[in-house]
Amino acid sequence: MTELPEKNVPFVNPRAAHDFRGRTCSIVSVGSYVPERRLSNAELEKLVDTSDEWITTRTGIKERRLAADDQFTSDLAAEAAKKALEKADIDPEAIDLIIVATITPDMPFPSTACLVQQKIGATHAAAFDLEAACSGFIYALEVAQQFIMSRTYDTVLVIGAEKLSSIVDWKDRNTCVLFGDGAGAAVLQYRAESHGLLTACMGADGSKASLLSMPGGGSRHPASQQSLDDRLHFLRMDGKETFKSAVTAMHRAAKKAMERCQIDISQIKCVIPHQANQRIMSAVADRLGATEDQIFANVDKFGNTSAASVAIALDQAVEQGRIQRGDLVLLVVFGAGLTWGAAVIEW
Ligand code: UT7
């Protein structure tokens, strides 16, 4: 039998970034959008039995953003996409493919990506949604990278977008204090001899699917009076177990991504973890041996925005000057599924 080449080798070794067959999947630009409405911990104190003190010490969250009633996931996604396209000065008509990672699509079908295609005028783009919960943005980056490196498409728009306020149970203090709405986008292009996405890895464990889910609305529990009475159309989570799995999986994924690129944590300028909980981020940083100033966090302002989380954070890290061209950036995510992933970018 013919011997196959080793699986999952990094596209490039960053120390010799442009020697690896000259192939590069470049992140040309990023953009993000969060709705204007802020929901503070003090306001949540009036909704459920909670306190600013509990939320702050257990999660690090001070406020989160909520989309307006007439603002949907596709609207948030389109705003983030327009900003990313503007920064790169790329015409929407040049986009070959749009991937939207989300667990809160405007509707089960058509896809949110198709709605975004229409909103931004990307008339030549194919479009589909990808569902990997909070890990969605890295899953989508990896999928986009495959299309680009195979030269199937030259320009791919990757978006993580959520209107989580539409599936949060505002009577459940265990979850309603955690989530927020927003979107982040990245434009990926084939650019030989350029900076880019060095590697992305993904993982999943379906045996823990019940830890974090929204049981209603699919083929198992279609909408019915019973499903409404049982509150099946809201997100539910076993927080403690999810927390433990998150720390282990994010640590492993981050290590794997760095190993593939033959780098260690000291070479990473900025670590951008999924913004679920400050305590999770600190525990992962600790295990990786990362210093506090390597970690980028904005969970205090936006809470957990699921698939949008690291996309918004990456855009803000760039805007705030935390990342300069040429820096190595590590993204690491975790979410329902369970799913997880990590990516190394040479910015
Ligand atoms: O994005 C996908 C991944 N998501 C995550 O990674 C989230 C992972 N989980 C977490 O971040 C944390 O587990 C939570 C923030 C959700 C909860 O923190 P915890 O330290 O694990 O608290 P706990 O669930 O063990 O609850 C401790 C206590 C409980 O009371 P009893 O049973 O000890 O009397 C809860 O009922 O805190 C109570 N509690 C609250 N109290 C005030 C739970 N939520 C609240 C609340 N306000 N909002």
Side-chain angles (χ1 to χ4, degrees):
M1 205 174 110
T2 323
E3 213 170 287
L4 292 169
E6 198 191 333
K7 255 170 58 176
N8 291 334
V9 289
F11 279 120
V12 288
N13 170 355
R15 302 278 64 86
H18 310 306
D19 294 339
F20 194 82
R21 289 183 236 156
R23 305 189 307 174
T24 310
C25 171
S26 176
I27 300 187
V28 183
S29 67
V30 285
S32 65
Y33 173 80
V34 288
E36 275 169 36
R37 163 93 167 91
R38 292 163 200 261
L39 179 69
S40 67
N41 291 348
E43 285 174 274
L44 281 165
E45 285 176 358
K46 293 178 197 142
L47 275 183
V48 286
D49 180 15
T50 192
S51 65
D52 175 40
E53 199 266 334
W54 191 95
I55 302 171
T56 306
T57 54
R58 297 289 180 124
T59 72
I61 301 167
K62 296 300 278 182
E63 60 180 31
R64 64 291 289 145
R65 299 297 181 95
L66 298 188
D69 290 345
D70 61 353
Q71 207 176 21
F72 312 111
T73 298
S74 62
D75 297 310
L76 311 181
E79 288 306 313
K82 282 183 207 161
K83 290 189 186 180
L85 290 166
E86 256 170 48
K87 282 190 211 171
D89 198 18
I90 288 175
D91 193 315
E93 293 193 354
I95 301 168
D96 298 309
L97 173 67
I98 301 171
I99 307 175
V100 174
T102 186
I103 51 167
T104 49
D106 284 29
M107 56 193 103
F109 68 89
S111 70
T112 301
C114 282
L115 305 178
V116 171
Q117 187 236 35
Q118 187 272 329
K119 281 179 205 283
I120 64 172
T123 43
H124 299 121
F128 65 85
D129 287 0
L130 181 156
E131 202 272 80
C134 304
S135 307
F137 190 70
I138 284 190
Y139 267 63
L141 282 182
E142 166 76 320
V143 171
Q145 184 186 45
Q146 302 303 325
F147 278 113
I148 285 176
M149 300 316 281
S150 65
R151 301 304 318 270
T152 309
Y153 295 125
D154 283 338
T155 303
V156 182
L157 174 62
V158 171
I159 306 171
E162 303 284 9
K163 184 176 178 177
L164 289 164
S165 58
S166 65
I167 60 163
V168 158
D169 184 348
W170 294 103
K171 289 185 175 165
D172 176 15
R173 70 172 183 174
N174 290 295
T175 53
C176 76
V177 302
L178 304 173
F179 298 96
D181 303 334
V187 179
L188 275 60
Q189 273 189 335
Y190 179 88
R191 287 197 183 178
E193 310 300 323
S194 177
H195 47 79
L197 179 59
L198 302 187
T199 198
C201 53
M202 316 183 277
D205 178 3
S207 73
K208 292 185 178 162
S210 62
L211 286 186
L212 180 48
S213 67
M214 187 182 79
S219 58
R220 191 176 297 206
H221 299 289
S224 66
Q225 190 55 53
Q226 191 62 46
S227 73
L228 290 177
D229 293 345
D230 294 344
R231 305 184 78 72
L232 298 186
H233 300 277
F234 293 120
L235 172 162
R236 47 177 72 175
M237 175 169 71
D238 176 339
K240 239 186 186 30
E241 285 307 312
T242 307
F243 189 115
K244 284 190 230 159
S245 298
V247 175
T248 312
M250 287 168 80
H251 172 232
R252 279 206 203 122
K255 272 186 65 179
K256 189 170 164 186
M258 288 190 290
E259 274 165 24
R260 279 193 195 172
C261 296
Q262 299 156 35
I263 54 170
D264 65 50
I265 193 71
S266 68
Q267 291 165 278
I268 299 284
K269 178 72 188 306
C270 188
V271 182
I272 303 184
H274 173 45
Q275 308 285 309
N277 185 321
Q278 187 59 54
R279 285 158 54 219
I280 295 179
M281 289 191 269
S282 301
V284 173
D286 207 41
R287 287 186 183 204
L288 287 173
T291 59
E292 220 164 86
D293 60 321
Q294 277 175 293
I295 307 292
F296 184 85
N298 62 11
V299 69
D300 56 328
K301 294 188 181 68
F302 306 111
N304 181 347
T305 56
S306 189
S309 163
V310 287
I312 296 172
L314 176 61
D315 182 45
Q316 294 195 335
V318 173
E319 287 291 313
Q320 291 170 21
R322 290 279 299 270
I323 302 170
Q324 308 292 335
R325 281 292 174 202
D327 287 342
L328 292 179
V329 180
L330 172 67
L331 306 183
V332 55
V333 295
F334 178 83
L338 298 176
T339 54
W340 54 85
V344 179
I345 298 164
E346 186 191 24
W347 185 250

Short mmCIF file of all heavy atoms in Angstrom, two decimals, residues 48-51 54-55 58-59 134 173-175 177-179 212 237-240 242-243 246 274 276-277 279-280 304 306 334-336, ligand 1:
data_model
loop_
_atom_site.label_atom_id
_atom_site.label_comp_id
_atom_site.label_asym_id
_atom_site.label_seq_id
_atom_site.Cartn_x
_atom_site.Cartn_y
_atom_site.Cartn_z
N VAL A 48 -33.41 38.54 38.21
CA VAL A 48 -33.26 37.25 38.90
C VAL A 48 -32.53 37.46 40.23
O VAL A 48 -31.96 38.53 40.47
CB VAL A 48 -32.44 36.24 38.02
CG1 VAL A 48 -33.25 35.72 36.86
CG2 VAL A 48 -31.13 36.85 37.55
N ASP A 49 -32.52 36.40 41.04
CA ASP A 49 -31.87 36.47 42.35
C ASP A 49 -30.35 36.36 42.17
O ASP A 49 -29.78 35.27 42.22
CB ASP A 49 -32.41 35.32 43.22
CG ASP A 49 -31.78 35.33 44.61
OD1 ASP A 49 -31.17 36.35 44.98
OD2 ASP A 49 -31.89 34.29 45.29
N THR A 50 -29.71 37.48 41.89
CA THR A 50 -28.26 37.50 41.69
C THR A 50 -27.69 38.80 42.23
O THR A 50 -28.42 39.64 42.75
CB THR A 50 -27.92 37.33 40.19
OG1 THR A 50 -26.52 37.08 40.05
CG2 THR A 50 -28.30 38.54 39.35
N SER A 51 -26.38 38.97 42.13
CA SER A 51 -25.77 40.22 42.58
C SER A 51 -24.56 40.54 41.71
O SER A 51 -23.94 39.64 41.14
CB SER A 51 -25.31 40.08 44.04
OG SER A 51 -24.28 39.12 44.11
N TRP A 54 -21.61 38.58 42.93
CA TRP A 54 -21.53 37.17 42.51
C TRP A 54 -21.06 37.08 41.05
O TRP A 54 -20.12 36.34 40.73
CB TRP A 54 -22.89 36.46 42.66
CG TRP A 54 -22.78 34.96 42.49
CD1 TRP A 54 -22.65 34.05 43.49
CD2 TRP A 54 -22.74 34.22 41.26
NE1 TRP A 54 -22.54 32.78 42.96
CE2 TRP A 54 -22.58 32.85 41.60
CE3 TRP A 54 -22.80 34.56 39.91
CZ2 TRP A 54 -22.51 31.84 40.64
CZ3 TRP A 54 -22.72 33.56 38.96
CH2 TRP A 54 -22.58 32.21 39.32
N ILE A 55 -21.70 37.85 40.20
CA ILE A 55 -21.37 37.74 38.77
C ILE A 55 -19.91 38.14 38.52
O ILE A 55 -19.18 37.47 37.80
CB ILE A 55 -22.32 38.62 37.90
CG1 ILE A 55 -23.78 38.22 38.14
CG2 ILE A 55 -21.98 38.47 36.42
CD1 ILE A 55 -24.80 39.16 37.49
N ARG A 58 -17.43 35.46 40.14
CA ARG A 58 -17.49 34.11 39.54
C ARG A 58 -17.21 34.10 38.04
O ARG A 58 -16.89 33.05 37.48
CB ARG A 58 -18.87 33.49 39.74
CG ARG A 58 -19.25 33.25 41.18
CD ARG A 58 -18.42 32.10 41.75
NE ARG A 58 -18.77 31.87 43.12
CZ ARG A 58 -19.17 30.69 43.58
NH1 ARG A 58 -19.27 29.66 42.79
NH2 ARG A 58 -19.46 30.55 44.85
N THR A 59 -17.39 35.26 37.38
CA THR A 59 -17.25 35.24 35.91
C THR A 59 -16.37 36.35 35.35
O THR A 59 -15.86 36.23 34.24
CB THR A 59 -18.63 35.39 35.22
OG1 THR A 59 -19.08 36.75 35.39
CG2 THR A 59 -19.67 34.44 35.79
N CYS A 134 -19.64 27.66 20.60
CA CYS A 134 -18.64 28.70 20.89
C CYS A 134 -17.33 28.46 20.15
O CYS A 134 -16.49 29.36 20.07
CB CYS A 134 -18.38 28.78 22.39
SG CYS A 134 -19.86 29.08 23.35
N ARG A 173 -31.05 32.09 36.57
CA ARG A 173 -29.88 32.89 36.99
C ARG A 173 -28.56 32.18 36.67
O ARG A 173 -27.50 32.80 36.61
CB ARG A 173 -29.95 33.22 38.47
CG ARG A 173 -29.73 32.03 39.39
CD ARG A 173 -29.63 32.47 40.83
NE ARG A 173 -29.35 31.34 41.70
CZ ARG A 173 -29.11 31.44 42.99
NH1 ARG A 173 -29.12 32.62 43.58
NH2 ARG A 173 -28.85 30.38 43.71
N ASN A 174 -28.63 30.83 36.52
CA ASN A 174 -27.40 30.08 36.22
C ASN A 174 -26.82 30.44 34.85
O ASN A 174 -25.63 30.26 34.62
CB ASN A 174 -27.68 28.58 36.24
CG ASN A 174 -27.95 28.09 37.64
OD1 ASN A 174 -27.07 28.13 38.49
ND2 ASN A 174 -29.18 27.66 37.88
N THR A 175 -27.67 30.87 33.94
CA THR A 175 -27.18 31.14 32.58
C THR A 175 -27.40 32.58 32.10
O THR A 175 -26.58 33.09 31.34
CB THR A 175 -27.86 30.19 31.57
OG1 THR A 175 -29.28 30.30 31.74
CG2 THR A 175 -27.42 28.75 31.76
N VAL A 177 -27.00 35.46 33.19
CA VAL A 177 -26.02 36.52 33.49
C VAL A 177 -24.78 36.41 32.61
O VAL A 177 -23.92 37.30 32.60
CB VAL A 177 -25.58 36.45 34.98
CG1 VAL A 177 -26.80 36.59 35.89
CG2 VAL A 177 -24.84 35.16 35.30
N LEU A 178 -24.66 35.29 31.86
CA LEU A 178 -23.39 34.98 31.20
C LEU A 178 -23.25 35.49 29.77
O LEU A 178 -22.14 35.71 29.30
CB LEU A 178 -23.18 33.45 31.17
CG LEU A 178 -23.22 32.72 32.51
CD1 LEU A 178 -23.15 31.22 32.29
CD2 LEU A 178 -22.07 33.19 33.40
N PHE A 179 -24.37 35.62 29.05
CA PHE A 179 -24.27 35.74 27.59
C PHE A 179 -24.59 37.13 27.04
O PHE A 179 -25.29 37.91 27.70
CB PHE A 179 -25.19 34.69 26.94
CG PHE A 179 -24.79 33.29 27.29
CD1 PHE A 179 -25.40 32.61 28.33
CD2 PHE A 179 -23.75 32.67 26.61
CE1 PHE A 179 -25.01 31.31 28.67
CE2 PHE A 179 -23.34 31.38 26.94
CZ PHE A 179 -23.97 30.70 27.97
N LEU A 212 -24.36 21.17 27.67
CA LEU A 212 -24.70 22.52 27.20
C LEU A 212 -25.51 22.37 25.91
O LEU A 212 -24.99 21.88 24.90
CB LEU A 212 -23.38 23.28 26.96
CG LEU A 212 -23.41 24.71 26.46
CD1 LEU A 212 -24.37 25.57 27.24
CD2 LEU A 212 -22.01 25.30 26.54
N MET A 237 -27.39 24.74 30.75
CA MET A 237 -25.97 24.35 30.92
C MET A 237 -25.71 23.82 32.33
O MET A 237 -26.21 24.35 33.32
CB MET A 237 -25.08 25.58 30.68
CG MET A 237 -23.60 25.31 30.95
SD MET A 237 -22.51 26.62 30.39
CE MET A 237 -22.88 27.91 31.57
N ASP A 238 -24.89 22.76 32.39
CA ASP A 238 -24.31 22.32 33.66
C ASP A 238 -22.98 23.07 33.77
O ASP A 238 -21.96 22.65 33.21
CB ASP A 238 -24.10 20.80 33.63
CG ASP A 238 -23.41 20.27 34.89
OD1 ASP A 238 -22.74 21.06 35.58
OD2 ASP A 238 -23.52 19.07 35.15
N GLY A 239 -23.02 24.20 34.47
CA GLY A 239 -21.87 25.12 34.49
C GLY A 239 -20.60 24.51 35.04
O GLY A 239 -19.52 24.66 34.46
N LYS A 240 -20.73 23.79 36.15
CA LYS A 240 -19.54 23.26 36.82
C LYS A 240 -18.79 22.26 35.94
O LYS A 240 -17.57 22.34 35.79
CB LYS A 240 -19.97 22.57 38.12
CG LYS A 240 -19.32 23.17 39.32
CD LYS A 240 -19.61 22.41 40.57
CE LYS A 240 -19.06 23.10 41.79
NZ LYS A 240 -18.97 24.53 41.77
N THR A 242 -19.10 21.88 32.70
CA THR A 242 -18.63 22.56 31.48
C THR A 242 -17.31 23.28 31.77
O THR A 242 -16.37 23.24 30.97
CB THR A 242 -19.69 23.56 30.98
OG1 THR A 242 -20.92 22.87 30.84
CG2 THR A 242 -19.30 24.16 29.64
N PHE A 243 -17.26 23.91 32.92
CA PHE A 243 -16.05 24.64 33.34
C PHE A 243 -14.83 23.71 33.32
O PHE A 243 -13.79 24.02 32.73
CB PHE A 243 -16.29 25.19 34.76
CG PHE A 243 -15.24 26.15 35.26
CD1 PHE A 243 -15.56 27.47 35.52
CD2 PHE A 243 -13.94 25.72 35.50
CE1 PHE A 243 -14.59 28.37 35.99
CE2 PHE A 243 -12.98 26.60 35.98
CZ PHE A 243 -13.32 27.92 36.23
N ALA A 246 -13.84 22.62 29.90
CA ALA A 246 -13.30 23.75 29.14
C ALA A 246 -11.81 23.93 29.41
O ALA A 246 -11.00 24.07 28.48
CB ALA A 246 -14.06 25.03 29.47
N HIS A 274 -11.44 31.94 24.29
CA HIS A 274 -12.89 32.12 24.28
C HIS A 274 -13.29 32.86 25.56
O HIS A 274 -12.88 32.49 26.66
CB HIS A 274 -13.58 30.76 24.21
CG HIS A 274 -15.06 30.84 24.37
ND1 HIS A 274 -15.83 31.77 23.73
CD2 HIS A 274 -15.92 30.10 25.13
CE1 HIS A 274 -17.10 31.60 24.08
NE2 HIS A 274 -17.17 30.60 24.93
N ALA A 276 -15.54 33.17 27.97
CA ALA A 276 -16.70 32.62 28.68
C ALA A 276 -16.69 33.04 30.14
O ALA A 276 -17.73 33.35 30.72
CB ALA A 276 -16.72 31.11 28.57
N ASN A 277 -15.49 33.05 30.72
CA ASN A 277 -15.38 33.27 32.16
C ASN A 277 -13.92 33.62 32.45
O ASN A 277 -13.01 32.92 32.01
CB ASN A 277 -15.78 31.96 32.87
CG ASN A 277 -15.81 32.10 34.38
OD1 ASN A 277 -14.97 32.77 34.97
ND2 ASN A 277 -16.78 31.46 34.99
N ARG A 279 -12.30 33.26 35.07
CA ARG A 279 -11.61 32.20 35.83
C ARG A 279 -11.14 31.07 34.91
O ARG A 279 -10.09 30.47 35.14
CB ARG A 279 -12.54 31.63 36.91
CG ARG A 279 -12.69 32.60 38.11
CD ARG A 279 -13.96 32.33 38.88
NE ARG A 279 -14.08 30.95 39.31
CZ ARG A 279 -15.22 30.25 39.30
NH1 ARG A 279 -16.34 30.80 38.87
NH2 ARG A 279 -15.24 29.02 39.73
N ILE A 280 -11.92 30.78 33.86
CA ILE A 280 -11.48 29.76 32.89
C ILE A 280 -10.23 30.26 32.16
O ILE A 280 -9.25 29.53 32.01
CB ILE A 280 -12.59 29.43 31.86
CG1 ILE A 280 -13.79 28.78 32.56
CG2 ILE A 280 -12.06 28.53 30.74
CD1 ILE A 280 -14.96 28.45 31.65
N ASN A 304 -20.20 36.32 27.35
CA ASN A 304 -19.90 35.22 26.42
C ASN A 304 -20.75 35.41 25.16
O ASN A 304 -21.98 35.31 25.22
CB ASN A 304 -20.23 33.90 27.12
CG ASN A 304 -19.95 32.69 26.27
OD1 ASN A 304 -19.72 32.79 25.07
ND2 ASN A 304 -19.97 31.52 26.89
N SER A 306 -20.35 33.50 22.44
CA SER A 306 -20.27 32.23 21.71
C SER A 306 -19.39 32.34 20.45
O SER A 306 -18.23 32.72 20.56
CB SER A 306 -21.68 31.72 21.38
OG SER A 306 -21.63 30.43 20.87
N PHE A 334 -13.72 26.86 23.11
CA PHE A 334 -14.39 25.71 23.70
C PHE A 334 -15.89 25.97 23.69
O PHE A 334 -16.32 27.10 23.89
CB PHE A 334 -13.92 25.55 25.16
CG PHE A 334 -14.61 24.42 25.85
CD1 PHE A 334 -14.16 23.13 25.69
CD2 PHE A 334 -15.74 24.64 26.62
CE1 PHE A 334 -14.82 22.07 26.29
CE2 PHE A 334 -16.39 23.60 27.24
CZ PHE A 334 -15.93 22.30 27.07
N GLY A 335 -16.67 24.93 23.47
CA GLY A 335 -18.11 25.16 23.49
C GLY A 335 -18.95 23.90 23.49
O GLY A 335 -18.42 22.79 23.64
N ALA A 336 -20.26 24.09 23.31
CA ALA A 336 -21.20 22.97 23.31
C ALA A 336 -20.82 21.97 22.22
O ALA A 336 -20.21 22.31 21.21
CB ALA A 336 -22.61 23.49 23.08
O1 UT7 B 1 -19.26 29.12 26.19
C1 UT7 B 1 -19.36 27.76 26.42
C2 UT7 B 1 -18.61 27.37 27.59
N1 UT7 B 1 -19.22 27.88 28.78
C3 UT7 B 1 -18.51 27.87 29.86
O2 UT7 B 1 -17.36 27.53 29.77
C4 UT7 B 1 -19.14 28.24 31.17
C5 UT7 B 1 -18.56 27.34 32.24
N2 UT7 B 1 -19.07 27.52 33.56
C6 UT7 B 1 -18.91 28.63 34.31
O3 UT7 B 1 -18.40 29.62 33.83
C7 UT7 B 1 -19.29 28.58 35.76
O4 UT7 B 1 -19.53 27.23 36.12
C8 UT7 B 1 -20.53 29.42 36.11
C9 UT7 B 1 -20.19 30.90 36.03
C10 UT7 B 1 -21.67 29.11 35.16
C11 UT7 B 1 -20.98 29.12 37.54
O5 UT7 B 1 -19.93 29.33 38.44
P1 UT7 B 1 -19.59 28.21 39.55
O6 UT7 B 1 -18.51 28.75 40.39
O7 UT7 B 1 -19.33 26.93 38.82
O8 UT7 B 1 -20.92 28.17 40.37
P2 UT7 B 1 -21.89 26.94 40.61
O9 UT7 B 1 -22.62 26.58 39.37
O10 UT7 B 1 -21.16 25.88 41.34
O11 UT7 B 1 -22.91 27.59 41.61
C12 UT7 B 1 -22.51 27.98 42.92
C13 UT7 B 1 -23.71 28.58 43.59
C14 UT7 B 1 -24.98 27.73 43.48
O12 UT7 B 1 -25.66 27.84 44.70
P3 UT7 B 1 -25.64 26.64 45.77
O13 UT7 B 1 -26.21 25.46 45.04
O14 UT7 B 1 -24.18 26.49 46.12
O15 UT7 B 1 -26.49 27.17 46.87
C15 UT7 B 1 -25.76 28.42 42.40
O16 UT7 B 1 -27.14 28.22 42.54
O17 UT7 B 1 -24.02 29.84 42.98
C16 UT7 B 1 -25.41 29.86 42.62
N3 UT7 B 1 -25.58 30.68 41.46
C17 UT7 B 1 -25.79 32.00 41.52
N4 UT7 B 1 -25.86 32.86 42.56
C18 UT7 B 1 -26.07 34.15 42.28
C19 UT7 B 1 -25.56 30.32 40.16
N5 UT7 B 1 -25.77 31.37 39.37
C20 UT7 B 1 -25.91 32.44 40.20
C21 UT7 B 1 -26.13 33.81 39.97
N6 UT7 B 1 -26.18 34.61 41.04
N7 UT7 B 1 -26.25 34.32 38.74
#
